[in-house]
């Protein structure tokens, strides 16, 4: 079972859009568990508006019975809801709070590995306790950012944050970057890609397209242009290859 987490400490980069579309892409051939660690619950809202406690990440951190919600034959969800904000407050008083997710994964390793090939975690735009829990159990972390100076700074900060967590918790997460909402008619996009393309941890980009943000993933959307679908599939296969390599 391979674990990938999406994060950057900046609002609006397209984390949820990426997590949603990448999970749906993997679910075409593999068994996927999608987890929503963001208290906005935007990812969860793409699938359901009625989430039971047993289907929520609060059940993991409160050490209650967890039952992933079945979305499709190859895709399950452990979602987020309004209770996650209070969950973060409760975690602040707990000892070894950074290890709660890892503890749950270890306790349930047998049935998780039998049931899932991949776990995809969407986090909040922060460096908070839930995000830390996700990052230190991950094989790969994807930093996603749109073309802007603030995004470039956020990627640098994310690299430092992941490195610090790897040192502090003896974790082995490998960080890769992708660009999102790229528009080659704008100099900001061209300059941003030029700076990223020099890095060995840069994997590719997603263009600015409205269809990418739809509730229906591009891989399942009959309105997705063929060229866009091919571009997305190529990038996602590259990311999957790196994830498989790091988790080997």
């Amino acid at each position: 079972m391979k674990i990938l987490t999406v994060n950057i400490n900046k609002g609006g980069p397209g984390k949820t859009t990426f997590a949603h579309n990448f999970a749906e892409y993997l679910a075409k051939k593999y068994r996927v568990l999608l987890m929503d660690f963001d208290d906005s619950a935007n990812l969860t809202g793409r699938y359901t508006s009625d989430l039971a406690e047993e289907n929520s990440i609060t059940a993991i951190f409160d050490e209650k019975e967890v039952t992933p919600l079945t979305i499709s034959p190859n895709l399950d969800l452990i979602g987020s809801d309004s209770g996650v904000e209070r969950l973060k407050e409760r975690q602040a008083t707990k000892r070894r709070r950074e290890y709660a997710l890892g503890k749950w994964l270890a306790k349930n390793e047998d049935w998780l590995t039998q049931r899932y090939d991949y776990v995809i975690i969407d986090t909040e735009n922060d460096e908070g306790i839930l995000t830390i829990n996700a990052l230190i159990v991950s094989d790969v972390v994807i930093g996603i950012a749109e073309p802007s100076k603030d995004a470039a700074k956020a990627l640098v900060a994310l690299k430092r944050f992941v490195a610090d967590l790897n040192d502090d918790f003896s974790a082995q997460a490998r960080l890769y970057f992708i660009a999102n909402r790229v528009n080659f008619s704008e100099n900001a996009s061209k300059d941003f890609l030029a700076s990223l393309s020099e890095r060995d941890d840069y994997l590719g980009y997603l263009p600015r397209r409205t269809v990418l943000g739809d509730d229906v993933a591009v891989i399942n959307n009959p309105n997705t242009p063929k060229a866009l679908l091919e571009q997305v599939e190529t990038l996602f296969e590259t990311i999957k290859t790196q994830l498989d390599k790091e988790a080997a």
Side-chain angles (χ1 to χ4, degrees), residues 92-161:
T93 62
K94 291 186 176 181
R95 296 179 61 187
R96 296 179 61 82
R97 53 190 174 273
E98 298 90 354
Y99 296 99
L101 178 59
K103 179 180 176 182
W104 180 79
L105 291 170
K107 180 180 178 181
N108 296 282
E109 181 178 9
D110 288 344
W111 77 264
L112 285 169
T113 54
Q114 290 172 11
R115 188 166 178 173
Y116 303 112
D117 302 303
Y118 296 94
V119 177
I120 308 300
I121 306 175
D122 185 25
T123 62
E124 197 166 347
N125 303 314
D126 70 357
E127 296 180 353
I129 188 59
L130 301 188
T131 297
I132 291 172
N133 267 264
L135 294 179
I136 65 176
V137 302
S138 297
D139 298 299
V140 163
V141 175
I142 292 293
I144 182 168
E146 81 288 1
S148 72
K149 291 182 179 179
D150 289 342
K153 293 178 182 177
L155 290 176
V156 172
L158 177 59
K159 183 170 185 177
R160 183 170 58 250
F161 185 48

Side-chain angles (χ1 to χ4, degrees), residues 190-201:
K190 292 187 237 182
D191 293 343
F192 190 61
L193 285 189
S195 64
L196 283 179
S197 61
E198 299 173 355
R199 310 177 60 103
D200 59 6
D201 48 13

Side-chain angles (χ1 to χ4, degrees), residues 63-237:
E63 300 184 58
K64 297 181 179 179
E65 188 70 26
V66 180
T67 304
L69 179 67
T70 298
I71 302 300
S72 65
N74 272 359
L75 181 63
D76 287 354
L77 170 72
I78 299 179
S80 176
D81 56 26
S82 59
V84 171
E85 185 62 40
R86 295 188 296 276
L87 169 66
K88 290 186 288 187
E89 295 173 1
R90 292 195 299 275
Q91 290 301 302
T93 62
K94 291 186 176 181
R95 296 179 61 187
R96 296 179 61 82
R97 53 190 174 273
E98 298 90 354
Y99 296 99
L101 178 59
K103 179 180 176 182
W104 180 79
L105 291 170
K107 180 180 178 181
N108 296 282
E109 181 178 9
D110 288 344
W111 77 264
L112 285 169
T113 54
Q114 290 172 11
R115 188 166 178 173
Y116 303 112
D117 302 303
Y118 296 94
V119 177
I120 308 300
I121 306 175
D122 185 25
T123 62
E124 197 166 347
N125 303 314
D126 70 357
E127 296 180 353
I129 188 59
L130 301 188
T131 297
I132 291 172
N133 267 264
L135 294 179
I136 65 176
V137 302
S138 297
D139 298 299
V140 163
V141 175
I142 292 293
I144 182 168
E146 81 288 1
S148 72
K149 291 182 179 179
D150 289 342
K153 293 178 182 177
L155 290 176
V156 172
L158 177 59
K159 183 170 185 177
R160 183 170 58 250
F161 185 48
V162 171
D164 287 346
L165 291 178
N166 281 343
D167 288 342
D168 292 346
F169 297 97
S170 300
Q172 296 181 349
R174 178 71 160 89
L175 176 63
Y176 291 100
F177 297 133
I178 64 172
N180 191 29
R181 298 173 183 157
V182 170
N183 183 348
F184 282 103
S185 67
E186 299 175 352
N187 287 333
S189 287
K190 292 187 237 182
D191 293 343
F192 190 61
L193 285 189
S195 64
L196 283 179
S197 61
E198 299 173 355
R199 310 177 60 103
D200 59 6
D201 48 13
Y202 169 67
L203 296 182
Y205 73 91
L206 291 170
R208 185 187 301 168
R209 296 289 188 276
T210 303
V211 69
L212 281 167
D214 287 353
D215 285 348
V216 179
V218 290
I219 197 76
N220 301 323
N221 194 332
N223 296 319
T224 302
K226 183 178 178 181
L228 174 60
L229 182 60
E230 291 176 350
Q231 181 179 358
V232 170
E233 288 179 331
T234 298
L235 174 60
F236 285 177
E237 191 60 28

